[in-house]
Every structure is written in structure tokens, then in C-alpha cells.
Amino acid sequence: MTSQPATGERRRDADRTKAEILEVAQREFAQHGYAGARVDEIAALTRTTKRMIYYYFGSKERLYITVLEKAYAEVREVERAVDVEHLAPIEAIRTLAELTFDHHDAHRDFIKLVSIENIHQGEHIRKSEALINLGTPVLDIIERILDAGTARGDFVTVADAIDVHMMISAFCFFRVANQHTFGALFGRDMTASEHRARQRRMVGEMIVGYLRGGGDPA
């Protein structure tokens, strides 16, 4: 009669351990890169062992891929928060841009992980079926916003959903990823608090301006 509660508790313990491993692993991969991060160090920083990490994730590469999957899934959750059904198209696309800005500003490790994976030319992300299919939801959201905006006459630019997604991501990503080189060259910390509100408005207005006629007209 006591086996079910015990089994349930073990499962909860395993879930907590895996979550802790992923949290620490994300920091280690973001700080040291895929090659530089050490499973021994991840084990030492968690309440587990190297053997247990391999038991849960199989290998260092699978641990890294799981970290990527978790990081990207969190971005997609933010994007899905946009209420496409009840927001006017202009407000919807502006909200999507601003939420992306907020996420990237608050999750600096995500920016580092994406930069690291680009250094590896997407080698690991291509091995994840979950990641390969993860781009579709945000493109569906953008396409619905673009269709609604065109139908209402709000948007006059013939826009591609991937291009719009790239525009939003490029601004939000560059601000964090290039903060150190940009600061050295131009003497401005792009992530300083005094610039945040202006830049957040900027990305939203940039996208809206493009769709309302700043690009190629229909």
C-alpha cells in the first residue's frame, strides 16, 4: 500500500534533481561553451554525481541539447503569450517585439547559448527533433498578425514572417550579445538601465513602421 507514494516521491526527487542539473548546466555551458564546460564541475555544483548525470541525460552532448531545448522552449512560451485573437494587429506585433526584448534582456545565458551554438554551426541543434520543429509556432503567430493587419489595411508592406521574426530577434539579440564590443567602440553600455525603456519602444516602433510602409509596398 505504501509503494505508490514512495514511487511518486522518488519521481518528484528525480524531477527536482534533473531541474537542478539543467539550471547549473545552462550556466556552465553559457560561461564556458560546449567544449569548455565539464560534467565533473556540473556534478560538483549540484546534489548529484557525474554517473547520475549520465544516467539522466546519456552524455554531455545530450545534456547540452536538453539545455538548448529548455532555453528555446521558454522563448516560445513568451511568444505564445501574445493574445493574437483580442489585440489589434499593430498592438499584437508591437507586443511580440517588446516581449522578446524583455525575455532577451532578462535571460542573458540564452543569448550566450545561441552564440555558442552558432560557433558550432548549429551542429547540436540539428540533432534535436524538438528544436527543429520549435520555430513553427512563432511563425504561425506572426503570419496570423500579418494577415489580420493586411485585411484591416493597417499593414501595407508585403512582409515575410521569417523576415519579421529576424528583425525582432536581431535587435533584441544584438543589444545583449554585442554589448561589450559595442561599448568598447562607442563608449555606451547598450544594456544600461537608462537606455532600456527607449530601446524597448524602439524595437516595437521599428517593426510597426516597417509594416505600415517603411518596407516594400504591396
Side-chain angles (χ1 to χ4, degrees), residues 5-23:
T7 299
E9 184 60 33
R10 284 196 296 270
R11 185 178 297 112
R12 286 189 291 272
D13 286 342
D15 289 342
R16 284 193 292 267
T17 300
K18 288 167 71 174
E20 182 184 12
I21 291 169
L22 286 174
E23 181 179 353

Side-chain angles (χ1 to χ4, degrees), residues 7 9-10 14 23 28 30 35 46 51 58 88 100 112 115 118 124 143 147 149 157 163 168 188 194 209 218:
T7 299
E9 184 60 33
R10 284 196 296 270
E23 181 179 353
E28 289 298 298
T46 57
R51 180 179 179 182
T100 303
K112 293 177 182 178
S115 298
N118 274 286
H124 306 96
E143 284 174 354
D147 289 344
T157 298
D163 286 345
I168 295 171
R188 172 178 289 182
E194 64 263 29

Side-chain angles (χ1 to χ4, degrees), residues 17 20-21 24-25 41-49 53:
T17 300
E20 182 184 12
I21 291 169
V24 172
E41 183 65 16
I42 295 170
L45 293 170
T46 57
R47 297 174 297 172
T48 188
T49 63
I53 291 175

Side-chain angles (χ1 to χ4, degrees), residues 35-74:
R38 296 286 180 264
V39 176
D40 286 322
E41 183 65 16
I42 295 170
L45 293 170
T46 57
R47 297 174 297 172
T48 188
T49 63
K50 182 177 181 179
R51 180 179 179 182
M52 187 60 69
I53 291 175
Y54 284 133
Y55 172 77
Y56 284 134
F57 298 99
S59 66
K60 176 183 176 180
E61 182 180 49
R62 281 306 316 172
L63 174 60
Y64 174 69
I65 290 173
T66 305
V67 166
L68 287 176
E69 290 172 344
K70 177 177 177 293
Y72 272 99
E74 289 170 352

Side-chain angles (χ1 to χ4, degrees), residues 74-84 87-105 135-146 155 160-173 199-208 211:
E74 289 170 352
V75 181
R76 295 299 173 253
E77 283 300 316
V78 169
E79 293 161 347
R80 279 192 285 267
V82 179
D83 188 359
V84 177
L87 288 175
I90 289 175
E91 190 59 30
I93 200 68
R94 181 186 286 116
T95 299
L96 178 61
E98 291 177 348
L99 287 176
T100 303
F101 180 97
D102 291 341
H103 175 273
H104 287 15
D105 184 60
T136 303
V138 67
L139 296 183
D140 289 344
I141 291 170
I142 293 173
E143 284 174 354
R144 289 164 62 194
I145 296 172
L146 295 179
F155 301 153
D160 176 79
I162 294 179
D163 286 345
V164 172
H165 180 55
M166 181 180 67
M167 289 176 68
I168 295 171
S169 297
F171 184 98
C172 299
F173 191 94
Q199 292 168 345
R200 190 176 189 269
R201 289 193 304 271
M202 189 186 303
V203 64
E205 293 307 316
M206 178 180 71
I207 301 303
V208 171
L211 295 174

